Amino acid sequence: MLPHIPSALSLSLSTVDVTAYRRVGVGVGFAAGAALSVVALLWMLLVLTGHDAGRALGAFWAGSFGSGYAVASATMVRAIPLILAGLAVAVAFRAGVWNIGAEGQLLVGAAAASAVGLHLGEQLGGLALIPALIAGAAAGALLAGIAGLLRARFGVLEIISTIMLNFVALHLVGYLVRGPLQEPTGLYPQSATLLLAARLPIILPDTRLHWGIIIAALTAVSLWAALRFTAAGFRVRAVGANPVAARIAGSIDVGATTFAAFLVSGALAGIAGGVEVTGVTYALYEGLSPGYGYTAIAVALLARLHPLGILITGTLLGALQAGGAAMQRDAGVPSVLVSIVEAVLILAMVSGARRPPLARARWAGVGDDTRARSATTT
Amino acid sequence: MSDTVSQFLEAAVRTATPLAFAALGEVLVERSGVINIGLEGAIIAGAFGALVGAGTGSVALGFAAATAAGAIMGTVAGGFIAWLRADQIVTGTAISLLGLGVTGTLYRTMYGAAGAGLTIPTLGSAPVPLLSAIPWIGSALFAQPLTTYLVYLLFPLLWWLLFRTHSGLALRACGDNPAAAIAAGIDARWIQFVALIAGGACGGLAGGTLVLAQSGTFIEGMSAGRGFIAIAIVVLGRWHPIGAVLAALLFGAAMALQYLLQAMGWSISYQLVLATPYVLTLLALAGLAGRAAAPAALGRADLGDA
């Protein structure tokens, strides 16, 4: 059931939809351009730092796209958490929610999933995966929900609160792996290993690629469809585009929609953590995520917040990280070099892009009428 | 007992010093209406700059290089944020990545994968006569490296600049109502640009302190989230220089407490102690620990003219 929308608003929103169609074409061209500039940039950086660029790029290719094994075991395995967390960032940003807490939500998701997987693995076997992933989603949603509540109730900027919560999550995991969830010998700061039955099965034999790729792909398609075709998705886009118009002209409950966006975003990041634990690491430890939640911001932005685009950009950044690791392993090039590439990609995009529409509406707020009013006057 | 306490306090102040530098710079930046998530990048750049500078054998050159490296990162951030009006969060994320990437790459390229057998001069503590003899707090406050004393000078200076000068008023106007500031003839872009450079320099100084007055060496990624901690400190300190220094001390104490707890064999609870300042910051934000009011236009890409 679609809400009744006055024509002026529906007109302006349908313009947004046309650009969304155009975005797909632009997106594919953009991804190709990004891939090309990545190679050019890598080559330049390698030459500048005095490395054998040919050998390093060879290692980069071999480790990312050079073989079926590399694509499946290195690139796609890294792409899975990046896609899921990227979707988390995208749904939030689409709603005008600046959730930069995907990293923390991913970590608590991993913690909850491993706790459930460890406790239920013996009784339920493979069925334990479902409650484990649900627990991961719930934990992520809970953490994001705190930021959502702080914004709705006290007008706290979620940029700041989600950063704080990232640290709370990190230290919480640090506590869990030294306390309640520590492995039985008590020697290492990590949890026990998940039983074979409670792990996500490998999808391609003889690779490390697990079922998480199906989860990531299905989530991306569902999120795209939900944003594009459902009333709830419409409300999210309307609130993100202009919360004041959404409230006045669209009679949309901006507060409820924003809060829902926090929860969905947190749940997706939580699933990313749950999938990482059950599909890759099989145990909880502090260094579980090499900053997936932060890289996810780049993944989402490079895809212009389009869920299907995120499948591509997540894979590209997964390849970048996989290739970087291979360069370090096989050509002695520091893998952090790829962080420079990521940074330049993001900077090129922000300076090239028109000002994102949500930047203006960002603080126009939710449960905070003074901000909403000042947004109308400026 | 009193020995343990004064050792703890001394560690707290020492740990708080780089945090205070970064946070004071961020107070300036945020008061001008910009939130610099890229502070992390300035700190790590400063740390690496300190290594290169002090590698020549001079601690002073180390600090100079650290400050310059931080200022360069601030300039990059300022170019995108103040002049191109790029989104602050996105730009900041990229600047942090850039700092970690460039320093990591240069470090491994210049010193090899194993890292150098680093012998760089460091800054010893310089006890102030008489003052350092005050019982309990004397050695904590006045038997520190010179950088800590620089904090004592910097925060009143920043307070005076922000609240007692025309430039400070103009800067705060940019943070609260950029459109009005521009209407009053203030060049908001220029002010935010300069604030970001100065904030970056403070971040660089924080990184320099980390290397030259604390750890004595450079480790990849050694900023370890201090840029984000500084942002928390600014919030907890309610965007005020004095508040920021006190909040930095609180975070420093929490971090120093972990060593104390570890030494006492409480291996797990220090993680919870470490999390406490962040929870406190959240409570402060929620107004439960006193109302914290952010500059009204903080984080906005436009200058109220859009």
Side-chain angles (χ1 to χ4, degrees), chain A residues 57-221:
Chain A
L57 284 177
F60 183 90
W61 176 253
S64 56
F65 287 121
S67 66
Y69 181 81
V71 172
S73 296
T75 294
M76 292 318 294
V77 166
R78 281 180 171 81
I80 292 165
L82 289 176
I83 290 170
L84 284 167
L87 293 170
V89 172
V91 72
F93 283 19
R94 276 282 186 104
V97 167
W98 286 76
N99 175 17
I100 43 179
E103 180 77 1
Q105 291 142 21
L106 186 148
L107 281 173
V108 293
S114 52
V116 170
L118 286 169
H119 281 102
L120 297 182
E122 220 155 323
Q123 294 99 310
L124 295 181
L127 279 180
L129 271 171
I130 295 165
L133 291 180
I134 290 176
L142 185 72
L143 198 71
I146 296 174
L149 197 70
L150 285 171
R151 170 161 157 183
R153 190 80 180 70
F154 303 103
V156 173
L157 305 183
E158 68 274 16
I159 291 174
I160 294 171
S161 62
T162 50
I163 291 177
M164 300 306 109
L165 289 168
N166 281 345
F167 283 94
V168 173
L170 185 65
H171 293 307
L172 186 69
V173 170
Y175 165 74
L176 287 174
V177 297
R178 286 178 183 79
L181 284 180
Q182 192 170 28
E183 42 86 33
T185 67
L187 286 175
Y188 305 102
Q190 64 173 64
S191 75
T193 317
L194 285 174
L195 288 176
L196 204 60
R199 300 176 185 176
L200 278 173
I202 297 293
I203 195 170
L204 270 184
D206 302 319
T207 70
R208 295 172 53 218
L209 188 63
H210 54 87
W211 274 85
I213 188 65
I214 302 292
I215 298 177
L218 284 180
T219 310
V221 173

